[in-house]
Amino acid sequence: MNNEIHTVKSFDFLARSFAHMHSQGRGLNIRAVTGNMSKEQQNWFQERYTHYCEQGICASLLEIEHSYR
């Protein structure tokens, strides 16, 4: 159980890090990142990655909006 929690935290950190890289315009291949993961891990990772990408997009839009005020 403890190992499972550690794995989840590591995957979440990776998802957040790769989403941050994506927001900076760095090219990355998510399939290569998730290639050795189980299907369950791939799905979970992709959900978190998408979540963080959407957060980054929203944050960027808010920054743009506030810069025009």
Side-chain angles (χ1 to χ4, degrees), residues 17-28 49 53 57:
S17 297
F18 284 119
H20 180 71
M21 290 169 61
H22 174 76
S23 73
Q24 294 177 331
R26 297 183 189 180
L28 50 113
Y49 174 75
C53 284
I57 291 169

